[in-house]
Structures are given as C-alpha cells and as structure tokens.
Amino acid sequence: MNDFKTGLPESLVKAYRSTNYEVHTDPAFIIKIGEFSSGLRNLFRKLNLSTGYFITACNPQGIELSNAKNRSLHNALRNDLQSSGHQIVNGFGSDPSGTWDGEPSFLVLGISLGQAKSLAVKFKQNAIVGCDETCIPDLLLLR
C-alpha cells in the first residue's frame, strides 16, 4: 500500500481506489486496487513482462475538463508513449457507481516507476496505478 501522505481530499482518493481500471485486451479485463488480477497475470506472462502502470492524461489535478480538451490530452499522452517506444494497451477508468464520467487511459507495459511518475507529473495527474509481478495493483498518489 502507498504510505504517501497526501493533500488530496479523502473523497477523491476513495474514488480512485474504487475505480474499475479496464484493460482493453482480448479478452478484456478489469483491475481493482488491492485485488489480485488473473487477467494482468496472463498479460504479463504472455508478454514476458512484470510491470505496468495505468495512466491517464484526462482531468489534470482532478479538475473536470471538456471532452474535447480531455481527448487532446489523451492524444498527447499517446504520442509521448508511442514516440518513446513504450508498449501500451488502451484502457478506461470507470466509476462503478456511475457518479462520474470515465476517462480513457493506457496500461503502459515494461515502463519504470520513475518514467511513469514523470509522465503523470507532466500531465498533472494526482495518481497512477502501479502493477508488478504480484498482479495486485496499487494506487500511487503523486500529490
């Protein structure tokens, strides 16, 4: 678990923890914070990898933006990831209660924690989801 002390509102951290992090592979699967993911284990085995980070560029610092602005940020993140040669899988962060709109995201495979944090900071994100060989995703707070 991430022991980082945060200035983020507890309600926002709770929302991040309850989010369904959808990974759009074939077959698609959902990862949940703190829960073992057999889909993630299978993906890591198939690709001979052991790390991945779920990252979005939408709604920087938790501030809701228009669909057009979020789409532009998402495309910028995609371009950064593709130009750096990182392997990505399309994803989507969705609210199981339906209270807030979901966010297009990427599961970035084989990337280091430092690289993932740098990208998240560049796109002004509050948190990312870290996945390692345990296949138990962890919420990594950045602010």
Side-chain angles (χ1 to χ4, degrees):
M1 184 152 157
N2 187 5
D3 292 328
F4 181 78
K5 301 296 183 219
T6 183
L8 297 173
E10 186 177 326
S11 61
L12 187 58
V13 174
K14 185 177 178 183
Y16 293 154
R17 288 193 180 286
S18 67
T19 294
N20 287 330
Y21 297 96
E22 302 171 16
V23 181
H24 297 167
T25 56
D26 186 18
F29 60 94
I30 292 173
I31 57 177
K32 299 283 290 177
I33 301 301
E35 295 181 17
F36 175 78
S37 170
S38 60
L40 189 60
R41 180 195 60 206
N42 294 339
L43 180 63
F44 281 169
R45 285 181 178 170
K46 178 181 175 183
L47 299 175
N48 197 29
L49 295 170
S50 61
T51 62
Y53 292 88
F54 204 91
I55 303 172
T56 187
C58 296
N59 301 318
Q61 296 180 337
I63 299 167
E64 193 172 340
L65 299 179
S66 69
N67 287 339
K69 286 182 182 178
N70 279 329
R71 195 169 26 258
S72 176
L73 289 169
H74 180 70
N75 289 335
L77 175 58
R78 179 194 321 272
N79 290 340
D80 278 10
L81 291 167
Q82 288 176 334
S83 68
S84 63
H86 294 298
Q87 187 170 1
I88 59 175
V89 176
N90 289 323
F92 196 79
S94 64
D95 175 10
S97 72
T99 303
W100 53 270
D101 292 335
E103 298 175 348
S105 308
F106 298 104
L107 177 60
V108 187
L109 299 164
I111 190 172
S112 72
L113 174 58
Q115 291 170 314
K117 283 183 175 180
S118 291
L119 275 171
V121 167
K122 177 180 179 178
F123 287 92
K124 300 179 181 167
Q125 293 301 301
N126 293 330
I128 56 178
V129 175
C131 306
D132 63 15
E133 67 278 350
T134 66
C135 299
I136 301 172
D138 191 18
L139 181 66
L140 305 173
L141 301 173
L142 303 174
R143 295 188 340 124

